C-alpha cells in the first residue's frame, strides 16, 4: 500500500458547518442515538498523538457504550521491514482495547508483499480482510457499519458483512501521490470508493466540490476541538514540563512536522532573523536529514518529537505565539487543520501563512505571505490586546467534537435507513 503521512490537520471555508444540506427523518434521528457496531478502518495508528479518527471513535463510544468499535490501523508492513532491516513489525501486538474505552478494540493486519505490483496488493488485501474478519468474529462484532478512511481500503467495501459503507475523505491524496503511476492508482481507488459508498464525508469545502461529481451522497463534516482540553493554556498554573525551558519569546508549532505541509525555508528564514527567542516544533518529525540539519544549525529551533495528547496544553502554555508556517499547495488547500480549532481554543496569538482554514479567520489570525510579513505579524501578535484571547476561545466553542460526532451519527443513521430501503 502507498504509505501516507497524515497530519493533525485539514480546511474549511464554510463556517456554518453543515452536513452539505443533509436532512434526516425522525427514524434516522432516533437511530443516531442507537448506533450498532462499527468497523473503523483508519489510515493512522491509534497512538498518543490524537487525530480526527480517535476523536470520532471516542465520541461514538461514549454515546453508544453498548456497541463495539473495531479500529483497524495501518498494516504491519513485513515486506518494508525486511527491505530496511527493521524487524519491529514482526512483533504482533495482538488486539487490544483503548484504556477507558472497553468497547473500542484496536488491531493491525499483516502485510507480507510489496504493493508495487497488482498481485501483491491483491494478496495483501485478502490477508487484511481475513485478519479483520477473524478479529471481528472473536470480539462479537455484528452487522457493523463500515467506515473507510483510506482510499486503498476500497477492496473491503461489500466484503466485510457490513450494513453500510461510509468513506471519510480528509485529504486530497490525489495531489499528494508521488509518481504518475501512484497518482493514477489513487485516483482510481478514490473514484471507485466514492461510487460504491452509501455516503461520502469530507472535512473541507474544497473536498466537497471535488467529490460532488463522483459520489451520490456527500456530507461536509469538518474537524473540531475539545475546548476544555485547552483551558489550561491560558488558565493553568503549576510547573511546566521540565524540558520546556526555551528562551523567550517562544514561537510554537504543534502537529506533524512534514515537508508536504511545513515550509522549512520560511521557518529557517524566520528563525535566522530573530534576535531573541525560540522556534519550538512539537509533534512527529518527518523532515529529511538535510532539513533537520538546516534547522538545528540555527541554534534557536527546537524539535520535541511526538508529545502525548494530554500533555500538549502544558507545552502550549509556554508559547507566546502559535505559528503555522505551512506551504500553500493544492494538497494543503484540501485540508481542514485540526490545529486551527486547537490554536483558537488555546487563545494565544496565531500567525499563519495564507493557508486554507486559517485565512478564513482574519479577525483571529495574523496572516503573512512571505518572511517579512511573517516577522511583522509576529511583532504585532506579541503586542496584541488581551481581549483577543477570549474571542478566539469563543469561536472555538462553536466547533466542538461533540457537535461533529452528532453529525457523524446522523450520517450513519442516514446510511442505515438507506440500506433498509433497498
Amino acid at each position: 500500500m502507498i504509505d501516507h503521512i497524515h497530519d493533525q490537520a485539514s480546511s474549511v471555508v464554510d463556517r456554518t458547518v453543515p452536513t452539505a444540506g443533509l436532512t434526516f427523518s425522525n427514524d434516522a434521528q432516533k437511530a443516531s442515538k442507537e448506533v450498532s457496531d462499527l468497523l473503523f478502518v483508519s489510515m493512522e495508528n491509534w497512538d498518543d498523538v490524537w487525530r480526527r479518527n480517535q476523536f470520532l471513535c471516542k465520541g461514538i463510544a461514549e454515546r453508544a457504550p453498548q456497541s463495539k468499535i473495531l479500529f483497524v490501523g495501518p498494516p504491519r508492513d513485513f515486506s518494508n521491514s525486511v527491505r530496511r532491516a527493521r524487524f519491529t513489525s514482526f512483533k504482533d501486538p495482538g488486539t487490544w482495547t483503548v484504556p477507558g474505552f472497553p468497547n473500542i478494540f484496536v488491531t493491525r493486519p499483516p502485510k507480507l508483499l510489496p504493493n508495487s505490483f497488482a498481485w501483491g496488493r491483491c494478496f495483501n488485501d485478502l490477508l487484511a480482510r481475513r485478519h479483520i474478519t477473524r478479529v471481528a468474529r472473536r470480539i462479537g462484532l455484528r452487522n457493523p457499519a463500515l467506515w473507510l478512511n483510506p482510499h486503498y481500503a476500497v477492496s473491503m467495501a461489500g466484503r466485510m458483512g457490513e450494513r453500510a459503507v461510509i468513506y471519510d475523505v480528509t485529504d486530497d491524496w490525489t495531489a499528494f501521490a508521488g509518481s504518475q503511476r501512484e497518482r493514477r492508482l489513487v485516483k482510481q481507488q478514490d473514484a471507485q470508493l466514492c461510487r460504491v459508498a452509501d455516503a461520502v464525508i469530507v472535512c473541507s469545502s474544497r473536498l466537497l466540490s471535488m467529490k460532488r461529481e463522483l459520489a451520490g451522497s456527500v456530507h461536509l463534516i469538518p474537524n473540531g476541538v475539545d475546548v476544555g482540553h485547552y483551558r489550561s493554556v491560558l488558565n493553568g498554573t503549576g510547573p511546566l514540563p521540565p524540558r520546556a525551558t526555551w528562551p523567550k519569546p517562544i514561537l510554537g508549532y504543534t502537529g506533524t512536522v512534514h515537508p508536504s505541509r511545513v515550509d522549512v525555508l520560511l521557518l529557517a528564514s524566520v528563525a535566522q532573523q530573530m534576535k531573541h527567542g525560540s522556534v519550538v516544533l512539537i509533534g512527529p518529525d518527518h523532515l529529511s536529514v538535510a532539513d533537520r540539519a538546516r534547522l538545528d544549525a540555527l541554534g534557536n529551533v527546537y524539535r520535541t518529537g511526538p508529545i502525548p495528547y494530554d500533555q500538549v496544553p502544558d507545552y502550549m502554555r509556554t508559547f507566546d505565539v502559535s505559528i503555522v508556517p505551512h506551504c500553500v499547495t493544492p494538497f494543503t488547500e484540501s485540508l481542514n487543520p485540526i490545529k486551527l480549532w486547537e490554536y483558537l481554543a488555546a487563545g494565544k496569538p496565531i500567525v499563519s501563512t495564507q493557508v486554507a482554514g486559517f485565512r478564513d479567520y482574519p479577525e483571529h489570525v495574523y496572516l503573512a505571505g512571505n518572511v517579512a510579513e511573517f516577522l511583522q505579524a509576529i511583532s504585532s501578535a506579541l503586542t496584541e490586546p488581551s481581549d483577543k484571547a477570549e474571542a478566539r476561545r469563543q469561536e472555538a466553542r462553536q466547533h466542538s467534537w461533540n457537535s461533529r460526532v452528532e453529525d457523524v451519527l446522523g450520517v450513519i443513521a442516514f446510511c442505515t435507513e438507506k440500506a433498509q430501503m433497498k
Side-chain angles (χ1 to χ4, degrees):
M1 294 177 182
I2 299 172
D3 294 326
H4 294 307
I5 305 297
H6 194 320
D7 188 31
Q8 289 183 204
S10 303
S11 110
V12 68
V13 181
D14 188 351
R15 300 191 190 187
T16 60
V17 191
T19 51
L22 180 65
T23 57
F24 305 115
S25 69
N26 290 335
D27 288 342
Q29 290 174 331
K30 180 180 178 182
S32 73
K33 309 299 182 183
E34 301 172 355
V35 183
S36 59
D37 295 345
L38 183 63
L39 176 53
F40 197 107
V41 182
S42 171
M43 196 176 279
E44 307 138 350
N45 289 322
W46 190 295
D47 54 27
D48 287 339
V49 180
W50 276 47
R51 306 170 179 90
R52 176 182 175 94
N53 291 345
Q54 284 138 305
F55 288 114
L56 293 180
C57 285
K58 170 183 177 291
I60 294 171
E62 288 175 335
R63 285 161 177 74
Q66 76 285 0
S67 301
K68 296 184 178 71
I69 298 174
L70 177 56
F71 184 98
V72 181
R76 292 172 289 118
D77 194 341
F78 297 120
S79 62
N80 184 269
S81 295
V82 170
R83 291 195 301 272
R84 296 172 178 267
R86 298 175 181 174
F87 303 106
T88 55
S89 294
F90 286 90
K91 185 177 180 181
D92 185 357
T95 301
W96 50 279
T97 56
V98 175
F101 296 92
N103 56 336
I104 302 180
F105 301 82
V106 181
T107 192
R108 293 180 65 190
K111 172 181 174 290
L112 297 183
L113 299 177
N115 279 324
S116 49
F117 298 102
W119 57 267
R121 288 196 304 275
C122 289
F123 179 82
N124 291 328
D125 290 344
L126 175 62
L127 203 62
R129 292 196 301 270
R130 289 185 173 180
H131 172 88
I132 294 166
T133 299
R134 283 196 300 270
V135 174
R137 187 182 301 119
R138 188 166 68 245
I139 67 174
L141 205 71
R142 299 180 184 277
N143 191 30
L146 176 60
W147 182 287
L148 297 178
N149 178 220
H151 52 80
Y152 51 74
V154 62
S155 68
M156 295 185 190
R159 298 180 176 181
M160 307 305 295
E162 72 272 12
R163 58 192 171 91
V165 178
I166 297 109
Y167 177 31
D168 184 34
V169 188
T170 58
D171 307 82
D172 178 16
W173 293 116
T174 64
F176 184 85
S179 68
Q180 287 296 322
R181 178 175 175 273
E182 286 180 332
R183 187 166 297 188
R184 284 195 300 271
L185 177 60
V186 171
K187 292 183 70 172
Q188 175 188 338
Q189 292 169 332
D190 174 76
Q192 182 180 353
L193 197 42
C194 283
R195 288 193 299 270
V196 303
D198 295 286
V200 174
I201 295 175
V202 295
C203 70
S204 72
S205 294
R206 169 64 177 157
L207 289 171
L208 179 64
S209 65
M210 293 175 63
K211 305 306 175 187
R212 271 179 171 151
E213 295 182 0
L214 297 174
S217 176
V218 188
H219 313 284
L220 173 61
I221 304 180
N223 290 311
V225 64
D226 176 0
V227 176
H229 187 71
Y230 294 91
R231 188 178 297 114
S232 66
V233 175
L234 289 183
N235 304 344
T237 58
L240 295 169
R243 63 196 291 193
T245 56
W246 308 292
K248 289 277 195 176
I250 295 173
L251 312 182
Y253 174 90
T254 64
T256 300
V257 186
H258 192 278
S260 68
R261 292 167 172 79
V262 174
D263 187 336
V264 175
L265 292 179
L266 170 68
L267 193 65
S269 296
V270 169
Q272 190 173 35
Q273 295 188 46
M274 291 174 60
K275 295 181 179 179
H276 308 285
S278 311
V279 176
V280 178
L281 308 176
I282 294 177
D285 185 348
H286 297 282
L287 296 178
S288 67
V289 173
D291 282 341
R292 289 173 185 166
R294 178 196 299 271
L295 295 178
D296 291 347
L298 296 171
N300 62 344
V301 180
Y302 303 87
R303 297 175 289 107
T304 70
I307 298 294
Y309 173 67
D310 61 353
Q311 297 178 23
V312 171
D314 288 334
Y315 282 86
M316 293 181 76
R317 283 172 56 198
T318 70
F319 292 3
D320 294 289
V321 178
S322 299
I323 61 170
V324 190
H326 278 186
C327 306
V328 181
T329 67
F331 178 69
T332 59
E333 282 298 290
S334 73
L335 306 180
N336 174 243
I338 292 180
K339 68 168 57 61
L340 166 62
W341 315 120
E342 293 177 340
Y343 279 7
L344 289 172
K348 295 288 182 82
I350 304 168
V351 173
S352 174
T353 54
Q354 297 273 357
V355 72
F358 287 90
R359 68 169 177 258
D360 305 317
Y361 291 87
E363 68 272 35
H364 300 305
V365 179
Y366 297 89
L367 296 168
N370 54 46
V371 174
E373 291 179 5
F374 210 94
L375 289 166
Q376 180 56 51
I378 290 168
S379 178
S380 299
L382 288 170
T383 58
E384 75 167 21
S386 59
D387 61 344
K388 285 201 169 188
E390 184 52 37
R392 291 190 185 96
R393 297 206 287 187
Q394 182 59 39
E395 180 64 48
R397 293 185 187 102
Q398 301 177 50
H399 306 277
S400 71
W401 278 119
N402 287 335
S403 64
R404 305 306 198 230
V405 169
E406 288 298 324
D407 290 338
V408 164
L409 291 176
V411 172
I412 294 174
F414 165 79
C415 291
T416 299
E417 187 180 63
K418 180 180 175 182
Q420 290 173 346
M421 294 173 62
K422 289 181 179 178

Coordinates of all heavy atoms in Angstrom, one line a residue, residues 375-411:
L375 N 7.4 38.0 9.9 CA 8.1 38.6 11.1 C 7.3 39.8 11.6 O 7.2 40.0 12.8 CB 9.5 39.1 10.6 CG 10.5 37.9 10.4 CD1 11.7 38.5 9.6 CD2 10.9 37.3 11.7
Q376 N 6.7 40.6 10.7 CA 5.9 41.7 11.1 C 4.7 41.3 11.8 O 4.2 41.9 12.9 CB 5.5 42.6 9.9 CG 4.6 43.8 10.2 CD 5.3 44.7 11.2 OE1 6.4 45.1 11.0 NE2 4.6 45.0 12.3
A377 N 4.1 40.1 11.4 CA 2.9 39.6 12.0 C 3.2 39.1 13.5 O 2.5 39.3 14.4 CB 2.3 38.4 11.2
I378 N 4.4 38.5 13.6 CA 4.9 38.1 14.9 C 5.0 39.3 15.9 O 4.6 39.2 17.0 CB 6.2 37.3 14.8 CG1 6.0 36.0 14.1 CG2 6.8 37.1 16.2 CD1 7.2 35.3 13.7
S379 N 5.6 40.4 15.4 CA 5.7 41.6 16.2 C 4.4 42.1 16.6 O 4.2 42.5 17.8 CB 6.4 42.6 15.4 OG 6.6 43.8 16.1
S380 N 3.4 42.1 15.7 CA 2.0 42.6 16.1 C 1.4 41.6 17.1 O 0.7 42.0 18.0 CB 1.1 42.6 14.8 OG 1.7 43.6 13.9
A381 N 1.6 40.3 16.9 CA 1.0 39.3 17.8 C 1.5 39.4 19.2 O 0.7 39.3 20.2 CB 1.2 37.9 17.2
L382 N 2.8 39.8 19.3 CA 3.4 39.9 20.7 C 2.9 41.1 21.4 O 3.0 41.1 22.7 CB 4.9 39.9 20.5 CG 5.6 38.6 20.1 CD1 7.1 38.9 19.8 CD2 5.4 37.6 21.2
T383 N 2.2 42.0 20.8 CA 1.8 43.2 21.5 C 0.2 43.4 21.3 O -0.3 44.5 21.5 CB 2.5 44.5 20.9 OG1 2.2 44.5 19.5 CG2 4.0 44.4 21.1
E384 N -0.5 42.3 21.0 CA -1.9 42.4 20.8 C -2.7 42.7 22.1 O -2.2 42.3 23.2 CB -2.5 41.2 20.1 CG -2.6 40.0 21.0 CD -3.4 38.9 20.3 OE1 -3.6 38.8 19.1 OE2 -3.9 38.0 21.1
P385 N -3.9 43.3 22.0 CA -4.7 43.5 23.2 C -5.1 42.1 23.8 O -5.3 41.1 23.1 CB -6.0 44.2 22.7 CG -5.5 44.8 21.4 CD -4.5 43.8 20.8
S386 N -5.3 42.1 25.1 CA -5.6 40.8 25.8 C -7.0 40.3 25.6 O -7.2 39.1 25.7 CB -5.4 41.1 27.4 OG -6.3 42.1 27.8
D387 N -7.9 41.1 25.1 CA -9.3 40.6 24.9 C -9.4 39.7 23.7 O -10.4 39.0 23.5 CB -10.2 41.8 24.7 CG -9.9 42.7 23.5 OD1 -8.8 42.6 23.0 OD2 -10.8 43.5 23.1
K388 N -8.4 39.7 22.8 CA -8.4 38.8 21.7 C -8.4 37.3 22.1 O -8.9 36.5 21.3 CB -7.3 39.1 20.7 CG -7.5 40.4 19.9 CD -6.7 40.4 18.7 CE -7.1 41.5 17.7 NZ -6.4 41.4 16.4
A389 N -7.8 37.0 23.2 CA -7.7 35.6 23.6 C -9.1 35.0 23.8 O -9.4 33.9 23.3 CB -6.9 35.5 24.9
E390 N -10.0 35.7 24.5 CA -11.3 35.2 24.8 C -12.1 35.1 23.5 O -12.9 34.2 23.4 CB -12.0 36.0 25.9 CG -13.4 35.5 26.3 CD -13.3 34.0 26.7 OE1 -12.3 33.6 27.3 OE2 -14.3 33.3 26.4
A391 N -11.9 36.0 22.6 CA -12.6 36.0 21.3 C -12.3 34.7 20.6 O -13.2 34.1 19.9 CB -12.3 37.2 20.5
R392 N -11.0 34.3 20.6 CA -10.6 33.1 19.9 C -11.3 31.9 20.6 O -11.8 31.0 19.9 CB -9.1 32.9 19.9 CG -8.4 33.9 19.1 CD -6.9 33.6 19.0 NE -6.2 34.7 18.2 CZ -5.5 35.7 18.8 NH1 -5.4 35.7 20.1 NH2 -5.0 36.6 18.1
R393 N -11.2 31.8 21.9 CA -11.8 30.7 22.6 C -13.3 30.6 22.4 O -13.9 29.5 22.3 CB -11.5 30.8 24.1 CG -10.0 30.7 24.3 CD -9.6 30.2 25.7 NE -9.8 31.1 26.8 CZ -9.5 30.9 28.0 NH1 -8.8 29.8 28.4 NH2 -9.7 31.8 28.9
Q394 N -14.0 31.8 22.3 CA -15.4 31.8 22.0 C -15.7 31.2 20.6 O -16.6 30.4 20.4 CB -16.0 33.2 22.1 CG -17.5 33.3 21.9 CD -18.3 32.4 22.9 OE1 -17.9 32.4 24.0 NE2 -19.3 31.8 22.4
E395 N -14.9 31.5 19.6 CA -15.0 30.9 18.3 C -14.8 29.4 18.3 O -15.6 28.7 17.7 CB -14.0 31.6 17.3 CG -14.0 31.1 15.9 CD -15.3 31.4 15.2 OE1 -15.8 32.6 15.3 OE2 -15.9 30.5 14.6
A396 N -13.8 29.0 19.1 CA -13.6 27.5 19.1 C -14.7 26.7 19.7 O -15.0 25.6 19.3 CB -12.3 27.3 20.0
R397 N -15.5 27.3 20.7 CA -16.6 26.7 21.3 C -17.7 26.3 20.3 O -18.5 25.4 20.5 CB -17.2 27.5 22.4 CG -16.3 27.7 23.6 CD -16.9 28.5 24.7 NE -16.0 28.8 25.8 CZ -15.4 29.9 26.0 NH1 -15.7 31.0 25.2 NH2 -14.5 30.1 26.9
Q398 N -17.7 27.0 19.1 CA -18.7 26.7 18.1 C -18.3 25.5 17.2 O -19.1 25.2 16.3 CB -18.9 27.9 17.3 CG -19.4 29.2 18.0 CD -19.5 30.4 17.1 OE1 -20.1 30.3 16.1 NE2 -18.8 31.5 17.6
H399 N -17.1 24.9 17.5 CA -16.6 23.9 16.6 C -16.2 22.6 17.5 O -15.1 22.1 17.2 CB -15.5 24.4 15.8 CG -15.8 25.6 15.0 ND1 -16.4 25.6 13.8 CD2 -15.6 26.9 15.3 CE1 -16.6 26.9 13.4 NE2 -16.1 27.7 14.3
S400 N -17.0 22.2 18.4 CA -16.7 21.1 19.3 C -16.7 19.8 18.6 O -17.5 19.6 17.6 CB -17.6 21.1 20.5 OG -18.9 20.7 20.1
W401 N -15.9 18.8 19.1 CA -16.0 17.5 18.6 C -17.4 16.9 18.9 O -17.9 16.0 18.1 CB -14.9 16.6 19.2 CG -13.6 16.7 18.5 CD1 -12.4 17.2 19.0 CD2 -13.3 16.4 17.1 NE1 -11.4 17.2 18.1 CE2 -11.9 16.7 16.9 CE3 -14.1 16.0 16.0 CZ2 -11.3 16.5 15.7 CZ3 -13.5 15.8 14.8 CH2 -12.1 16.0 14.6
N402 N -18.0 17.3 20.0 CA -19.4 16.8 20.3 C -20.3 17.0 19.1 O -21.1 16.1 18.8 CB -19.9 17.4 21.6 CG -19.2 16.9 22.8 OD1 -18.7 15.8 22.8 ND2 -19.2 17.7 23.9
S403 N -20.3 18.2 18.6 CA -21.2 18.5 17.5 C -20.9 17.8 16.2 O -21.7 17.3 15.5 CB -21.3 20.0 17.2 OG -20.0 20.5 16.8
R404 N -19.6 17.6 16.0 CA -19.1 16.8 14.8 C -19.6 15.4 15.0 O -20.0 14.7 14.0 CB -17.6 16.9 14.7 CG -17.0 18.2 14.6 CD -17.5 19.1 13.6 NE -16.6 20.2 13.3 CZ -17.0 21.5 13.2 NH1 -18.2 21.9 13.5 NH2 -16.1 22.4 13.0
V405 N -19.5 14.8 16.2 CA -19.9 13.4 16.4 C -21.4 13.3 16.1 O -21.9 12.3 15.5 CB -19.5 12.9 17.8 CG1 -20.2 11.6 18.1 CG2 -18.0 12.8 17.9
E406 N -22.2 14.2 16.6 CA -23.6 14.2 16.3 C -23.9 14.2 14.8 O -24.8 13.4 14.3 CB -24.3 15.4 16.9 CG -24.4 15.4 18.5 CD -25.2 14.2 19.0 OE1 -26.2 13.8 18.3 OE2 -24.8 13.6 20.0
D407 N -23.2 15.0 14.0 CA -23.3 14.9 12.6 C -22.9 13.6 12.0 O -23.6 13.1 11.1 CB -22.5 16.0 11.9 CG -23.0 17.4 12.2 OD1 -24.2 17.6 12.6 OD2 -22.2 18.4 12.1
V408 N -21.9 13.0 12.5 CA -21.4 11.7 12.0 C -22.5 10.6 12.3 O -22.8 9.8 11.5 CB -20.1 11.3 12.7 CG1 -19.8 9.8 12.5 CG2 -19.0 12.1 12.0
L409 N -23.1 10.7 13.5 CA -24.1 9.7 13.9 C -25.3 9.9 13.0 O -26.0 8.9 12.6 CB -24.5 9.9 15.3 CG -23.5 9.5 16.4 CD1 -24.0 9.8 17.8 CD2 -23.2 8.0 16.3
G410 N -25.6 11.1 12.6 CA -26.7 11.4 11.7 C -26.5 10.7 10.3 O -27.4 10.2 9.7
V411 N -25.2 10.8 9.8 CA -24.9 10.2 8.5 C -25.0 8.7 8.6 O -25.5 8.0 7.7 CB -23.5 10.6 8.1 CG1 -23.0 9.9 6.8 CG2 -23.4 12.1 7.8

